Amino acid sequence: MATSSKALLVALIGVVACPLLICIEVVTFVLVGMGTFDEGNPLFGKVATSAAVILMGAVILALPVKAFMMGARARKAISSSDTFVAGASKALASQVISGILAAGVVIVQILLVLLASRVCSLEGCWPAS
């Protein structure tokens, strides 16, 4: 399988996997929030569960970043080749798809951080009147 095809495949897998993983992360976030809100829980448990949510967000972001890097490598290999190599459009498509996906994942992670810091609520991020 060509490098550009692999990059496109990873980007398309990310389109399916990232929303599912984000749903799992949001459920975990809510459960962690319920656990950390209780005063009786030890500090180590609160820190460990919060770190797990942060690590989960980093792993979710890793998939589109990897697809973007694979697409960039494939485009560089295609452009530096002396002969005609097919797959430039696949490499570009993988970069576009993974770029949009990475932007969406970053937006969700920022929203989760704002929710965790209580700057925003599920009703919005504007100041209360």
Side-chain angles (χ1 to χ4, degrees):
M1 183 179 282
T3 308
S4 58
S5 297
K6 289 178 187 176
L8 184 60
L9 180 64
V10 171
L12 292 176
I13 288 172
V15 168
V16 174
C18 284
L20 295 174
L21 292 172
I22 287 174
C23 288
I24 293 170
E25 181 186 21
V26 168
V27 168
T28 306
F29 176 78
V30 170
L31 293 176
V32 165
M34 288 169 39
T36 57
F37 188 73
D38 187 16
E39 299 294 329
N41 289 340
L43 180 64
F44 175 75
K46 293 177 182 181
V47 171
T49 53
S50 299
V53 172
I54 292 169
L55 181 65
M56 194 181 265
V59 168
I60 293 170
L61 185 61
L63 186 61
V65 168
K66 178 67 176 173
F68 189 86
M69 290 175 19
M70 288 174 68
R73 241 182 279 131
R75 287 185 68 196
K76 187 175 181 180
I78 289 169
S79 66
S80 66
S81 177
D82 292 335
T83 61
F84 175 74
V85 179
S89 59
K90 287 182 184 178
L92 180 61
S94 69
Q95 283 189 297
V96 170
I97 291 169
S98 58
I100 293 169
L101 189 59
V105 170
V106 167
I107 289 171
V108 169
Q109 299 308 316
I110 290 171
L111 180 62
L112 287 177
V113 168
L114 291 174
L115 286 171
S117 63
R118 296 188 181 158
V119 172
C120 294
S121 68
L122 293 177
E123 296 174 357
C125 291
W126 39 85
S129 42

